[in-house]
């Protein structure tokens, strides 16, 4: 390649890069407008975080609001448990004894139907799988006991540099008092930061990262949320959170995760719907529509810089 050819090639490459940057900066306000259109008129407070693979910072809606996490915090908890596994403090193969009469009753707990008897043993790895993939509340609280409770989880998340978040209660404590769920809160920025740290694969060992990714992809809850309007077969590693309904309002309908784009890059999306007087169908539709808008936005960016 001669000097002239090199100059032409370099100029062309810079032109394409500049065009890409222009498309990103020119279209970003349009994505925010799309998202605002989706949530306008809804009888709820909606928080959104969208962090595309080319973005230095996430796009945020209602950035200063404190949103109850509900079971989204099971992602945070799984990261701490696996961190302790990586440190040698815990083992995926160790058995955890479950006393049926001593655990939280009348709650979402598929693991309690899987096992029979008044007392039984469950491998730690299976507790993690049930907590993450199936959002099992009993499995969650057993994991809390192993790592030192909500305070230990709060300290761990803070140590990662994710500051706008608080964990003060486990599932049993939230069940005992409906208002406690608001004390387990996060900002949308903090959700995005945690997803970024998870997606960057720097916090956990390769084995632990692969397991957590697998469990999040296999999530059985909230199929009509982030995944609801995406193309069939799109890989989504996510964690949902859902409250009950009280006085006609749903405190939390949440989903946060990593959506894999067709070019193999990650798109981080979190949508939290707080204190909603809408139906469950509408709450979930809000999440699905935001995810769809973010996904299509990224597809347009890809096609804008791809050769025909």
């Amino acid at each position: 390649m001669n000097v002239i050819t090199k100059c032409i090639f370099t100029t062309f490459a810079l032109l394409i890069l500049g065009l890409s940057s222009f498309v990103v900066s020119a279209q970003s306000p349009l994505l925010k407008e799309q998202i605002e259109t989706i949530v306008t008129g809804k009888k709820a407070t909606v928080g959104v975080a969208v962090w595309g693979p080319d973005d230095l910072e996430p796009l945020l809606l209602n950035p200063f609001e404190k949103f109850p996490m509900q079971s989204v915090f099971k992602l945070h908890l799984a990261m701490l448990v696996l961190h302790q596994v990586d440190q040698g403090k815990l083992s995926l193969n160790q058995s955890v004894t479950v006393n049926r009469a001593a655990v939280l009753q009348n709650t979402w707990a598929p693991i309690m139907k899987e096992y029979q008897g008044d007392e039984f043993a469950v491998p730690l790895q299976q507790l993690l799988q049930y907590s993450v993939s199936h959002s099992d509340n009993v499995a969650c609280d057993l994991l809390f006991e192993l790592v030192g409770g909500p305070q230990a989880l709060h300290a761990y998340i803070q140590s990662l540099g994710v500051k706008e978040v608080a964990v003060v209660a486990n599932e049993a404590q939230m069940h005992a008092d409906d208002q406690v769920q608001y004390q387990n809160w996060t900002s949308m920025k903090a959700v995005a930061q945690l997803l970024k740290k998870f997606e960057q694969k720097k916090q956990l060992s390769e084995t632990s990262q692969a397991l957590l990714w697998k469990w999040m992809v296999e999530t059985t809850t909230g199929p009509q949320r982030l995944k609801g309007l995406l193309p069939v077969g799109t890989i989504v590693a996510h964690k949902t959170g859902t409250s009950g309904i009280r006085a006609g309002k749903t405190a939390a309908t949440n989903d946060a995760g990593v959506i894999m784009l067709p070019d193999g890059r990650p798109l981080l999306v979190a949508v939290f719907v707080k204190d909603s007087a809408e139906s469950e169908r509408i709450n979930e539709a809000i999440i699905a529509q935001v995810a769809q808008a973010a996904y299509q936005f990224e597809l347009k960016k890809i096609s804008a810089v791809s050769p025909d």
Side-chain angles (χ1 to χ4, degrees):
M1 185 182 292
N2 59 38
V3 174
I4 295 176
T5 304
K6 285 182 178 180
C7 290
I8 293 173
F9 179 81
T10 302
T11 301
F12 180 74
L14 290 172
L15 180 62
I16 292 298
L17 181 61
L19 175 61
S20 172
S21 299
F22 173 77
V23 170
V24 171
S25 62
Q27 290 185 345
S28 293
L30 296 180
L31 176 59
K32 190 168 186 179
E33 287 177 14
Q34 273 188 278
I35 293 172
E36 288 173 343
T37 298
I38 291 168
V39 306
T40 296
K42 301 300 189 297
K43 293 174 285 186
T45 301
V46 182
V48 174
V50 175
W51 204 334
D54 300 315
D55 301 333
L56 296 178
E57 295 289 339
L59 181 159
L60 301 174
L61 187 68
N62 277 329
F64 304 111
E65 192 75 23
K66 294 181 178 180
F67 289 88
M69 287 188 285
Q70 276 290 338
S71 289
V72 172
F73 79 163
K74 290 169 183 169
L75 166 59
H76 305 58
L77 178 58
M79 289 179 67
L80 172 56
V81 175
L82 289 168
H83 173 66
Q84 292 195 2
V85 169
D86 292 339
Q87 290 182 315
K89 295 179 180 179
L90 297 172
S91 168
L92 290 173
N93 297 320
Q94 73 183 74
S95 292
V96 178
T97 300
V98 183
N99 184 318
R100 189 176 295 274
V103 300
L104 182 62
Q105 306 295 311
N106 301 317
T107 188
W108 175 252
I111 199 169
M112 301 306 291
K113 296 180 180 179
E114 179 72 18
Y115 287 85
Q116 303 299 316
D118 295 333
E119 189 172 282
F120 51 89
V122 183
L124 174 60
Q125 181 166 331
Q126 192 165 28
L127 281 182
L128 279 163
Q129 179 186 8
Y130 269 89
S131 181
V132 177
S133 295
H134 306 294
S135 209
D136 191 293
N137 293 332
V138 167
C140 172
D141 279 2
L142 289 169
L143 293 173
F144 264 126
E145 290 179 14
L146 290 173
V147 299
Q151 295 75 19
L153 178 56
H154 178 84
Y156 170 69
I157 299 303
Q158 296 286 312
S159 75
L160 298 180
V162 180
K163 301 297 185 181
E164 296 174 13
V165 61
V167 182
V168 303
N170 62 13
E171 288 288 352
Q173 291 166 322
M174 288 195 291
H175 279 63
D177 182 350
D178 185 67
Q179 293 303 302
V180 171
Q181 67 180 303
Y182 292 96
Q183 297 177 38
N184 279 352
W185 63 268
T186 183
S187 71
M188 298 315 299
K189 177 182 177 181
V191 178
Q193 288 175 326
L194 189 81
L195 287 173
K196 192 72 169 179
K197 289 183 178 296
F198 165 67
E199 177 272 320
Q200 288 179 329
K201 305 177 183 179
K202 295 179 180 178
Q203 306 304 320
L204 302 172
S205 69
E206 185 176 346
T207 299
S208 292
Q209 177 74 26
L211 280 171
L212 184 50
W213 177 267
K214 177 177 182 291
W215 295 328
M216 289 178 69
V217 170
E218 293 174 350
T219 288
T220 58
T221 55
Q224 298 305 315
R225 297 184 190 181
L226 288 183
K227 298 176 67 174
L229 294 174
L230 298 179
V232 175
T234 301
I235 296 174
V236 183
H238 65 125
K239 185 69 202 77
T240 61
T242 311
S243 72
I245 302 173
R246 184 170 182 173
K249 287 190 175 183
T250 304
T253 306
N254 306 332
D255 205 357
V258 182
I259 301 170
M260 298 307 297
L261 297 168
D263 64 359
R265 295 187 301 162
L267 167 64
L268 315 184
V269 180
V271 187
F272 285 25
V273 184
K274 172 183 173 182
D275 293 337
S276 176
E278 305 285 357
S279 66
E280 179 183 7
R281 180 183 63 80
I282 292 178
N283 292 337
E284 294 194 322
I286 292 169
I287 298 172
Q289 289 167 18
V290 170
Q292 181 188 47
Y295 184 85
Q296 291 179 345
F297 171 71
E298 291 297 331
L299 291 188
K300 290 178 183 177
K301 285 163 58 178
I302 292 172
S303 63
V305 297
S306 298
D308 293 333

